[in-house]
Amino acid sequence: MTNGAIDRMTNGPTQPSEPYRRLLVTGGAGFIGSCYVRDVLARRDGTEITVLDKLTYAGNEANLAPVRDDPEQAARLRFVKGDIADREVVADLVGDVDAVLNFAAESHVDRSILDPEAFLVTGVIGVHVLLEACRTAAHRPRFLQVSTDEVYGSVPEGQSREDDLLAPRSPYAAAKTSGELLVRSYVVTHGVDAVVTRGSNTYGPYHHPEKLIPLFVTNAIDDKPLPLYGDGLQRRDWLYVSDHAAGIDHVLRHGRSGETYNVAGGVEMANRDTVTLLLKHLGKPWSLVRHVEDRPGHDRRYAMDGSKLAALGWRAETSFEDGLARTIDWFVANEPWWRAARSGDWDAYYERQYGQRLRTAT
Ligand code: NAD
Ligand code: TYD
């Protein structure tokens, strides 16, 4: 019943009856989207993927290097640089596929507090453009919207279930909620075949170093301060990235149209405890941690009930200890990758987000 990895469910040649052989993966050069592309191309012969990605600061074609290094897989990957809000590009690509998986989004809560506009353009207009293309395509491809547990807002106790009230509290979460509601409207009004996944906080290789775990790992490697927001007792439910990709794939294949599925990590941790484990693995001292001013509107806790997807035969299987060790070891071994991700506007962003906080930290 518990198959975390795509290969354990769907390994081997694509069957002639395979309904989702040609995929459009938007945001496929980002953290989770690139994992999905790498895992599916490596494990499912015959599947062809077109990636549509705008290559924002968070997108990186190098995330697809393992595919490029294998000529057989590379032949089944096409990369298109473009925007999901661009009608012409999208209509052209959607015309050729069996399913569209939308990973594309601005994904960082802190940046949505500093500069929300791009979140709305990609998360609302972009999703609408994709849905219109699916609605008008002659063969009606399936649409999968990758969403997040943040649509539930902060969950003081218990676990969020799919039919709970949506109560987003950050511009990021509000944009993701809006995208989901558009999907729902296209299912009801136009009969578009669509499913939604809500994933937990995800971690793993190729994670952009702006997020908690990769930021703290890479800062700690450099013996730089680790800016922990508030008291550090906020709680997150962690999901290893290849588990997240596999959960999404399971919903693509087995989810019922119009339904939403939590892809739960099942690993609830206080941020302080996550940082303690991370420092222990790296052999670095707690004295690197700085308690800095909290994030405005910081959600105290996320926790999801994964039983709906478990009833379809899937739940996450990577333990936090294993996943965290694999993640940290990957960052230690791939320093050029994360140093490149900390270039461009990184220093300006870091100063804006952390400069004053760190100068007044305890
Ligand atoms: P990411 O920021 O690493 O990647 C996003 C990708 O989308 C990038 O490659 C970027 O270039 C691309 N993109 C952004 N705007 C675009 C546009 N307008 N057109 C085309 N491409 C565009 O994000 P991620 O962490 O991989 O998240 C992927 C999806 O999963 C997002 O929808 C996010 O909301 C959702 N999600 C993320 C998490 C998490 O913890 N990271 C958890 C649950 C759900
Ligand atoms: P993050 O990785 O930004 O994911 P999200 O906001 O989507 O949950 O943050 C995870 C947790 O870590 C969250 O409670 C905020 C906290 N955090 C810090 O304490 N310091 C930081 O520098 C960052 C980026 C996050």
Side-chain angles (χ1 to χ4, degrees):
M1 148 92 118
T2 61
N3 288 326
I6 287 172
D7 57 348
R8 308 250 321 258
M9 294 184 293
T10 56
N11 206 14
T14 302
Q15 302 302 315
S17 59
E18 165 62 53
Y20 307 116
R21 198 179 62 77
R22 298 167 310 162
L23 307 178
L24 175 61
V25 177
T26 66
F31 166 48
I32 307 170
S34 70
C35 177
Y36 183 82
V37 172
R38 291 190 306 271
D39 286 1
V40 168
L41 288 178
R43 289 161 181 161
R44 196 174 307 134
D45 300 348
T47 299
E48 294 167 11
I49 295 183
T50 299
V51 167
L52 173 63
D53 197 295
K54 190 177 171 182
L55 295 181
T56 67
Y57 76 94
N60 185 350
E61 270 199 87
N63 297 357
L64 298 169
V67 175
R68 302 276 187 219
D69 292 345
D70 179 313
E72 190 282 322
Q73 289 180 40
R76 292 185 284 118
L77 174 66
R78 176 183 171 208
F79 183 85
V80 177
K81 183 178 177 202
D83 193 327
I84 61 166
D86 182 332
R87 282 166 216 280
E88 281 180 27
V89 173
V90 166
D92 188 42
L93 297 177
V94 169
D96 279 341
V97 295
D98 305 315
V100 176
L101 294 96
N102 182 32
F103 293 82
E106 292 291 334
S107 65
H108 191 32
V109 172
D110 289 324
R111 289 191 195 247
S112 84
I113 296 168
L114 297 173
D115 276 316
E117 193 170 324
F119 288 75
L120 303 179
V121 174
T122 297
V124 181
I125 306 297
V127 172
H128 176 247
V129 168
L130 292 170
L131 286 165
E132 269 295 298
C134 290
R135 177 181 79 78
T136 52
H139 60 297
R140 291 287 189 119
R142 167 159 271 208
F143 182 74
L144 185 146
Q145 171 69 2
V146 178
S147 192
T148 165
D149 59 359
E150 303 195 24
V151 299
Y152 295 116
S154 196
V155 185
E157 56 191 28
Q159 294 184 317
S160 306
R161 297 178 66 99
E162 286 82 350
D163 50 6
D164 283 357
L165 183 73
L166 302 185
R169 288 157 39 91
S170 71
Y172 163 69
K176 295 300 294 183
T177 307
S178 308
E180 280 196 25
L181 296 179
L182 274 170
V183 174
R184 184 187 174 91
S185 77
Y186 268 67
V187 172
V188 172
T189 307
H190 297 298
V192 167
D193 174 12
V195 283
V196 173
T197 59
R198 294 186 185 138
S200 301
N201 272 72
T202 304
Y203 69 104
Y206 300 95
H207 203 183
H208 193 280
E210 68 192 356
K211 307 287 180 8
L212 175 74
I213 289 177
L215 177 71
F216 278 32
V217 169
T218 54
N219 275 10
I221 289 171
D222 282 346
D223 294 313
K224 288 187 175 152
L226 312 182
L228 190 62
Y229 295 155
D231 60 10
L233 295 177
Q234 305 86 3
R235 300 178 79 79
R236 293 293 182 267
D237 172 21
W238 292 102
L239 174 64
Y240 190 64
V241 64
S242 54
D243 280 349
H244 194 166
I248 287 169
D249 194 63
H250 201 80
V251 172
L252 173 71
R253 290 151 166 276
H254 304 289
R256 278 188 45 205
S257 187
E259 295 287 324
T260 297
Y261 297 90
N262 290 343
V263 183
V267 177
E268 193 183 327
M269 298 282 296
N271 290 341
R272 276 186 74 96
D273 297 335
T274 298
V275 175
T276 301
L277 285 180
L278 179 162
L279 288 170
K280 188 171 169 216
H281 191 83
L282 279 170
K284 298 283 183 174
W286 179 263
S287 56
L288 288 174
V289 172
R290 301 284 182 283
H291 283 277
V292 298
E293 183 189 337
D294 208 349
R295 170 188 283 172
H298 197 167
D299 287 338
R300 195 75 182 156
R301 175 174 178 264
Y302 301 134
M304 286 198 295
D305 180 324
S307 57
K308 183 170 173 182
L309 190 49
L312 278 192
W314 188 90
R315 66 170 181 250
E317 62 180 19
T318 305
S319 74
F320 194 55
E321 290 70 19
D322 282 359
L324 192 63
R326 264 146 62 185
T327 302
I328 295 171
D329 293 347
W330 186 89
F331 276 90
V332 168
N334 289 276
E335 211 168 303
W337 182 92
W338 58 262
R339 293 221 182 266
R342 292 167 70 130
S343 61
D345 84 341
W346 175 263
D347 286 345
Y349 164 72
Y350 201 83
E351 172 57 28
R352 199 172 165 205
Q353 178 61 25
Y354 296 108
Q356 184 61 16
R357 278 187 163 99
L358 282 168
R359 285 189 284 277
T360 55
T362 53

